[in-house]
Amino acid sequence: MRGEQCRCKIYLHYSATSDEVILFGNNEEHNHSEISTTTCRVTDQLKRSVVEAYQNGMRPKRIFESQHSQFPDISLPQINRVIQQFKKQVHDPTAISLGELAEWCQTNVAIPDDVDTVFIVNFEIDEEFENNNSNFKFFISTKRLLSQMSLSNMLHVDATYKLNWNGFPVFVIGITDSARAFHCIGIAISENEKEIDFEFVFNSLVEASEKFGIAISFDFLISDAAPAIRNAFQKVFGERKMIMCWAHTFSNILKHANKISDKKDQSAILDDIRSLQLSSSEL
Protein backbone atom coordinates (compact mmCIF):
# COMPACT_ATOMS: atom_id res chain seq x y z
CA MET A 1 0.00 0.00 0.00
CA ARG A 2 3.02 2.31 -0.14
CA GLY A 3 2.82 2.87 -3.88
CA GLU A 4 0.25 4.63 -6.02
CA GLN A 5 -3.27 3.26 -5.62
CA CYS A 6 -6.31 3.15 -7.87
CA ARG A 7 -8.38 6.34 -7.84
CA CYS A 8 -11.65 4.41 -7.52
CA LYS A 9 -12.44 3.70 -3.86
CA ILE A 10 -15.39 2.24 -1.98
CA TYR A 11 -16.26 1.95 1.69
CA LEU A 12 -18.71 -0.48 3.32
CA HIS A 13 -20.53 0.56 6.48
CA TYR A 14 -22.02 -2.27 8.54
CA SER A 15 -24.80 -1.04 10.81
CA ALA A 16 -24.52 -2.07 14.45
CA THR A 17 -28.30 -2.09 14.94
CA SER A 18 -29.46 -3.97 11.83
CA ASP A 19 -28.37 -6.21 8.96
CA GLU A 20 -28.14 -3.19 6.65
CA VAL A 21 -24.89 -2.53 4.77
CA ILE A 22 -24.32 0.86 3.13
CA LEU A 23 -21.94 1.23 0.19
CA PHE A 24 -20.12 4.54 -0.27
CA GLY A 25 -18.08 5.34 -3.40
CA ASN A 26 -16.15 8.30 -4.78
CA ASN A 27 -17.41 7.82 -8.39
CA GLU A 28 -13.87 7.93 -9.82
CA GLU A 29 -12.82 5.83 -12.84
CA HIS A 30 -10.44 2.90 -12.42
CA ASN A 31 -6.85 3.64 -13.47
CA HIS A 32 -5.12 0.29 -12.83
CA SER A 33 -3.52 0.26 -16.27
CA GLU A 34 -1.76 3.56 -15.55
CA ILE A 35 -0.13 2.35 -12.32
CA SER A 36 3.33 0.82 -12.55
CA THR A 37 3.53 -2.60 -10.88
CA THR A 38 7.27 -3.07 -11.25
CA THR A 39 9.16 -4.06 -8.13
CA CYS A 40 12.75 -3.47 -7.16
CA ARG A 41 15.11 -6.36 -7.77
CA VAL A 42 17.45 -6.89 -4.85
CA THR A 43 20.83 -6.55 -6.52
CA ASP A 44 24.19 -7.53 -5.02
CA GLN A 45 24.97 -3.85 -4.62
CA LEU A 46 21.79 -3.31 -2.62
CA LYS A 47 22.49 -6.39 -0.47
CA ARG A 48 25.99 -5.17 0.35
CA SER A 49 24.67 -1.71 1.20
CA VAL A 50 21.92 -3.12 3.49
CA VAL A 51 24.29 -5.53 5.25
CA GLU A 52 26.88 -2.80 5.80
CA ALA A 53 24.26 -0.48 7.28
CA TYR A 54 22.94 -3.28 9.53
CA GLN A 55 26.46 -4.06 10.79
CA ASN A 56 26.85 -0.38 11.64
CA GLY A 57 23.88 -0.62 13.98
CA MET A 58 21.10 0.80 11.80
CA ARG A 59 17.56 -0.52 12.25
CA PRO A 60 15.70 -2.02 9.24
CA LYS A 61 13.29 0.92 9.03
CA ARG A 62 16.16 3.42 9.08
CA ILE A 63 17.97 1.37 6.40
CA PHE A 64 14.84 1.44 4.26
CA GLU A 65 14.63 5.22 4.54
CA SER A 66 18.31 5.68 3.68
CA GLN A 67 18.14 3.39 0.63
CA HIS A 68 14.85 4.68 -0.72
CA SER A 69 16.40 7.60 -2.60
CA GLN A 70 18.74 5.33 -4.55
CA PHE A 71 16.27 2.43 -4.85
CA PRO A 72 12.80 4.05 -4.88
CA ASP A 73 11.00 0.74 -5.50
CA ILE A 74 12.60 -1.10 -2.57
CA SER A 75 10.23 -2.25 0.18
CA LEU A 76 10.75 -2.77 3.90
CA PRO A 77 9.99 -6.54 3.68
CA GLN A 78 12.80 -6.86 1.12
CA ILE A 79 15.17 -5.11 3.54
CA ASN A 80 14.12 -7.50 6.30
CA ARG A 81 14.67 -10.54 4.08
CA VAL A 82 18.21 -9.44 3.23
CA ILE A 83 18.98 -8.98 6.93
CA GLN A 84 17.51 -12.38 7.85
CA GLN A 85 19.59 -14.10 5.16
CA PHE A 86 22.70 -12.36 6.48
CA LYS A 87 21.95 -13.49 10.04
CA LYS A 88 21.60 -17.12 8.94
CA GLN A 89 24.98 -16.96 7.21
CA VAL A 90 26.99 -15.52 10.12
CA HIS A 91 25.16 -16.77 13.22
CA ASP A 92 24.54 -20.24 14.59
CA PRO A 93 21.12 -21.86 14.04
CA THR A 94 18.43 -20.61 16.41
CA ALA A 95 17.48 -24.17 17.40
CA ILE A 96 19.59 -27.14 18.47
CA SER A 97 18.79 -30.73 19.37
CA LEU A 98 18.92 -32.10 22.90
CA GLY A 99 22.00 -34.08 21.94
CA GLU A 100 23.77 -30.92 20.76
CA LEU A 101 22.71 -29.11 23.94
CA ALA A 102 24.07 -31.94 26.12
CA GLU A 103 27.35 -31.89 24.20
CA TRP A 104 27.62 -28.12 24.60
CA CYS A 105 26.99 -28.35 28.35
CA GLN A 106 29.60 -31.08 28.74
CA THR A 107 32.11 -28.98 26.81
CA ASN A 108 31.57 -25.92 29.00
CA VAL A 109 31.20 -27.56 32.41
CA ALA A 110 34.93 -27.25 33.20
CA ILE A 111 35.66 -24.46 35.68
CA PRO A 112 37.82 -21.82 33.95
CA ASP A 113 40.76 -19.98 35.53
CA ASP A 114 39.42 -16.59 34.47
CA VAL A 115 36.86 -15.25 36.95
CA ASP A 116 34.80 -13.65 34.17
CA THR A 117 34.60 -16.63 31.80
CA VAL A 118 31.14 -18.19 31.57
CA PHE A 119 30.74 -21.87 32.41
CA ILE A 120 27.96 -24.36 33.14
CA VAL A 121 27.47 -24.51 36.89
CA ASN A 122 24.93 -27.33 36.74
CA PHE A 123 22.75 -29.03 34.14
CA GLU A 124 20.21 -31.81 33.75
CA ILE A 125 19.22 -33.12 30.34
CA ASP A 126 16.88 -36.08 29.99
CA GLU A 127 16.62 -37.25 26.40
CA GLU A 128 14.06 -39.90 27.30
CA PHE A 129 10.63 -38.80 26.14
CA GLU A 130 7.72 -39.01 28.54
CA ASN A 131 4.34 -38.03 27.13
CA ASN A 132 6.24 -36.68 24.10
CA ASN A 133 8.07 -34.15 26.30
CA SER A 134 11.79 -33.89 26.88
CA ASN A 135 13.33 -32.33 29.95
CA PHE A 136 16.32 -30.01 30.17
CA LYS A 137 17.65 -27.26 32.39
CA PHE A 138 21.06 -25.66 32.88
CA PHE A 139 22.54 -22.90 35.03
CA ILE A 140 25.16 -20.48 33.68
CA SER A 141 27.40 -18.12 35.61
CA THR A 142 30.99 -16.98 36.26
CA LYS A 143 33.17 -17.27 39.36
CA ARG A 144 32.97 -13.52 39.95
CA LEU A 145 29.16 -13.48 39.80
CA LEU A 146 28.87 -16.50 42.09
CA SER A 147 31.18 -14.89 44.64
CA GLN A 148 28.53 -12.18 45.20
CA MET A 149 26.18 -14.69 46.84
CA SER A 150 27.73 -14.01 50.24
CA LEU A 151 27.13 -10.26 50.05
CA SER A 152 23.40 -10.33 50.81
CA ASN A 153 20.71 -12.42 52.46
CA MET A 154 18.07 -11.28 49.94
CA LEU A 155 17.62 -13.49 46.88
CA HIS A 156 15.68 -12.38 43.81
CA VAL A 157 14.32 -14.83 41.23
CA ASP A 158 12.05 -14.32 38.24
CA ALA A 159 11.47 -15.82 34.80
CA THR A 160 11.29 -13.99 31.48
CA TYR A 161 10.41 -15.15 27.98
CA LYS A 162 12.06 -12.28 26.09
CA LEU A 163 15.66 -13.49 25.88
CA ASN A 164 15.59 -16.28 23.29
CA TRP A 165 13.93 -17.25 20.03
CA ASN A 166 12.54 -20.60 21.17
CA GLY A 167 10.10 -19.44 23.83
CA PHE A 168 11.76 -21.15 26.80
CA PRO A 169 11.78 -19.36 30.17
CA VAL A 170 15.03 -17.77 31.31
CA PHE A 171 15.45 -17.55 35.07
CA VAL A 172 17.33 -14.47 36.28
CA ILE A 173 18.84 -14.94 39.75
CA GLY A 174 20.47 -12.21 41.80
CA ILE A 175 20.80 -10.33 45.08
CA THR A 176 20.31 -6.75 46.24
CA ASP A 177 22.75 -4.84 48.40
CA SER A 178 22.09 -2.21 51.08
CA ALA A 179 21.84 0.46 48.38
CA ARG A 180 19.07 -1.57 46.67
CA ALA A 181 21.29 -2.23 43.65
CA PHE A 182 20.71 -5.54 41.88
CA HIS A 183 23.64 -7.91 41.31
CA CYS A 184 23.12 -10.87 38.99
CA ILE A 185 24.39 -14.25 40.20
CA GLY A 186 23.59 -16.14 37.03
CA ILE A 187 20.87 -17.26 34.65
CA ALA A 188 19.20 -20.59 34.04
CA ILE A 189 17.22 -21.91 31.09
CA SER A 190 14.63 -24.64 31.40
CA GLU A 191 11.83 -26.13 29.39
CA ASN A 192 9.27 -25.07 32.01
CA GLU A 193 8.93 -22.88 35.08
CA LYS A 194 7.48 -25.46 37.43
CA GLU A 195 8.47 -26.09 41.03
CA ILE A 196 11.04 -28.72 40.03
CA ASP A 197 12.74 -26.21 37.71
CA PHE A 198 13.11 -23.58 40.45
CA GLU A 199 14.27 -26.29 42.83
CA PHE A 200 17.04 -27.09 40.34
CA VAL A 201 18.08 -23.41 40.34
CA PHE A 202 18.25 -23.17 44.14
CA ASN A 203 20.10 -26.48 44.43
CA SER A 204 22.59 -25.19 41.86
CA LEU A 205 23.30 -22.21 44.12
CA VAL A 206 23.87 -24.51 47.11
CA GLU A 207 26.19 -26.79 45.12
CA ALA A 208 28.15 -23.81 43.78
CA SER A 209 28.55 -22.35 47.28
CA GLU A 210 29.94 -25.66 48.55
CA LYS A 211 32.22 -26.12 45.55
CA PHE A 212 33.77 -22.65 45.81
CA GLY A 213 33.58 -22.25 49.58
CA ILE A 214 31.11 -19.36 49.50
CA ALA A 215 29.07 -18.79 52.64
CA ILE A 216 25.43 -18.13 51.80
CA SER A 217 22.48 -17.34 54.02
CA PHE A 218 19.36 -16.36 52.12
CA ASP A 219 16.81 -15.29 54.71
CA PHE A 220 14.50 -13.50 52.26
CA LEU A 221 13.07 -14.42 48.87
CA ILE A 222 11.87 -11.55 46.68
CA SER A 223 9.72 -12.73 43.78
CA ASP A 224 6.20 -12.65 42.43
CA ALA A 225 3.41 -14.70 43.97
CA ALA A 226 4.10 -17.84 41.93
CA PRO A 227 3.72 -20.87 44.26
CA ALA A 228 6.35 -22.78 42.23
CA ILE A 229 9.08 -20.32 43.25
CA ARG A 230 8.09 -20.12 46.91
CA ASN A 231 7.60 -23.87 47.40
CA ALA A 232 10.93 -24.67 45.76
CA PHE A 233 12.71 -22.06 47.90
CA GLN A 234 11.30 -23.55 51.10
CA LYS A 235 12.30 -27.06 50.05
CA VAL A 236 15.93 -26.07 49.53
CA PHE A 237 16.48 -23.36 52.18
CA GLY A 238 13.77 -24.17 54.71
CA GLU A 239 11.23 -21.78 56.20
CA ARG A 240 12.20 -18.26 55.22
CA LYS A 241 10.49 -14.91 54.77
CA MET A 242 8.81 -14.40 51.41
CA ILE A 243 8.61 -10.83 50.12
CA MET A 244 6.30 -9.90 47.29
CA CYS A 245 8.09 -7.98 44.55
CA TRP A 246 6.97 -4.34 44.79
CA ALA A 247 6.90 -3.85 41.01
CA HIS A 248 4.56 -6.84 40.56
CA THR A 249 2.42 -5.76 43.51
CA PHE A 250 1.97 -2.15 42.45
CA SER A 251 1.24 -3.01 38.81
CA ASN A 252 -1.61 -5.25 39.97
CA ILE A 253 -2.86 -2.60 42.39
CA LEU A 254 -2.99 -0.08 39.54
CA LYS A 255 -5.31 -2.35 37.57
CA HIS A 256 -7.88 -2.12 40.36
CA ALA A 257 -7.18 1.51 41.24
CA ASN A 258 -7.98 2.56 37.67
CA LYS A 259 -11.57 1.42 38.30
CA ILE A 260 -12.03 4.20 40.88
CA SER A 261 -13.88 7.00 39.11
CA ASP A 262 -12.89 9.79 41.51
CA LYS A 263 -9.28 10.63 40.58
CA LYS A 264 -8.64 12.39 43.91
CA ASP A 265 -9.65 9.27 45.85
CA GLN A 266 -7.59 7.14 43.49
CA SER A 267 -4.50 9.32 44.02
CA ALA A 268 -4.96 9.33 47.82
CA ILE A 269 -5.29 5.54 47.98
CA LEU A 270 -2.17 5.02 45.84
CA ASP A 271 -0.21 7.46 48.02
CA ASP A 272 -1.23 5.49 51.13
CA ILE A 273 -0.13 2.23 49.52
CA ARG A 274 3.22 3.74 48.56
CA SER A 275 3.65 4.82 52.17
CA LEU A 276 3.03 1.25 53.36
CA GLN A 277 6.07 0.10 51.42
CA LEU A 278 8.28 2.27 53.66
CA SER A 279 6.94 0.72 56.86
CA SER A 280 9.52 -1.11 59.00
CA SER A 281 6.86 -3.28 60.61
CA GLU A 282 6.24 -6.78 59.26
CA LEU A 283 2.60 -6.71 60.42
Side-chain angles (χ1 to χ4, degrees), residues 251-262:
S251 65
N252 281 285
I253 290 172
L254 280 177
K255 295 177 184 177
H256 296 280
N258 289 332
K259 299 175 183 178
I260 302 174
S261 57
D262 191 316

Side-chain angles (χ1 to χ4, degrees), residues 38-281:
T38 58
T39 58
C40 177
R41 190 175 72 87
V42 181
T43 63
D44 292 338
Q45 177 189 357
L46 176 58
K47 288 182 181 179
R48 286 193 297 269
S49 182
V50 170
V51 169
E52 182 180 353
Y54 175 74
Q55 290 178 308
N56 289 332
M58 290 180 65
R59 299 282 186 178
K61 188 175 181 180
R62 182 70 184 88
I63 297 174
F64 166 76
E65 293 171 351
S66 65
Q67 298 295 325
H68 195 260
S69 59
Q70 187 177 358
F71 302 94
D73 295 323
I74 191 68
S75 65
L76 184 57
Q78 287 176 308
I79 298 290
N80 285 322
R81 281 195 292 271
V82 172
I83 294 174
Q84 291 301 322
Q85 291 171 358
F86 170 71
K87 285 182 178 180
K88 289 180 180 179
Q89 292 174 356
V90 299
H91 297 301
D92 293 331
T94 58
I96 62 175
S97 65
L98 276 180
E100 291 172 327
L101 178 59
E103 183 180 354
W104 180 80
C105 288
Q106 289 285 3
T107 303
N108 293 277
V109 76
I111 301 173
D113 295 330
D114 182 29
V115 295
D116 294 317
T117 298
V118 175
F119 68 99
I120 301 295
V121 178
N122 192 14
F123 74 95
E124 293 180 7
I125 297 179
D126 182 9
E127 297 186 55
E128 295 294 330
F129 286 82
E130 182 179 346
N131 297 325
N132 296 323
N133 288 321
S134 56
N135 184 26
F136 70 88
K137 35 190 167 281
F138 56 94
F139 185 92
I140 307 172
S141 188
T142 69
K143 290 196 289 187
R144 188 189 299 275
L145 293 180
L146 290 172
S147 67
Q148 298 180 121
M149 289 193 293
S150 62
L151 301 179
S152 175
N153 62 348
M154 297 187 178
L155 185 67
H156 295 249
V157 181
D158 200 3
T160 178
Y161 286 83
K162 300 177 181 179
L163 299 182
N164 59 54
W165 287 292
N166 299 302
F168 295 119
V170 177
F171 305 132
V172 181
I173 307 98
I175 60 169
T176 46
D177 58 22
S178 57
R180 297 189 295 177
F182 178 79
H183 302 273
C184 182
I185 294 175
I187 63 172
I189 299 178
S190 177
E191 189 179 23
N192 298 295
E193 51 174 326
K194 298 179 180 178
E195 183 176 321
I196 189 173
D197 301 296
F198 287 102
E199 192 174 341
F200 164 82
V201 170
F202 297 136
N203 281 324
S204 297
L205 296 179
V206 173
E207 293 177 16
S209 67
E210 295 173 351
K211 184 182 297 184
F212 295 103
I214 303 171
I216 60 173
S217 178
F218 297 127
D219 299 321
F220 301 91
L221 171 69
I222 297 93
S223 68
D224 59 21
I229 304 178
R230 294 169 174 249
N231 294 340
F233 186 80
Q234 288 182 338
K235 277 187 178 180
V236 176
F237 296 105
E239 289 293 330
R240 295 291 189 273
K241 294 177 181 178
M242 309 292 183
I243 300 175
M244 182 71 177
C245 172
W246 173 248
H248 285 93
T249 302
F250 198 73
S251 65
N252 281 285
I253 290 172
L254 280 177
K255 295 177 184 177
H256 296 280
N258 289 332
K259 299 175 183 178
I260 302 174
S261 57
D262 191 316
K263 296 302 178 183
K264 289 185 178 180
D265 289 345
Q266 181 187 120
S267 179
I269 291 171
L270 291 177
D271 287 342
D272 289 342
I273 293 173
R274 290 189 185 97
S275 300
L276 287 175
Q277 189 200 15
L278 304 177
S279 173
S280 58
S281 172

Side-chain angles (χ1 to χ4, degrees), residues 20-31:
E20 185 180 22
V21 179
I22 303 174
L23 171 66
F24 296 91
N26 60 358
N27 297 321
E28 292 284 348
E29 295 293 332
H30 290 280
N31 65 329

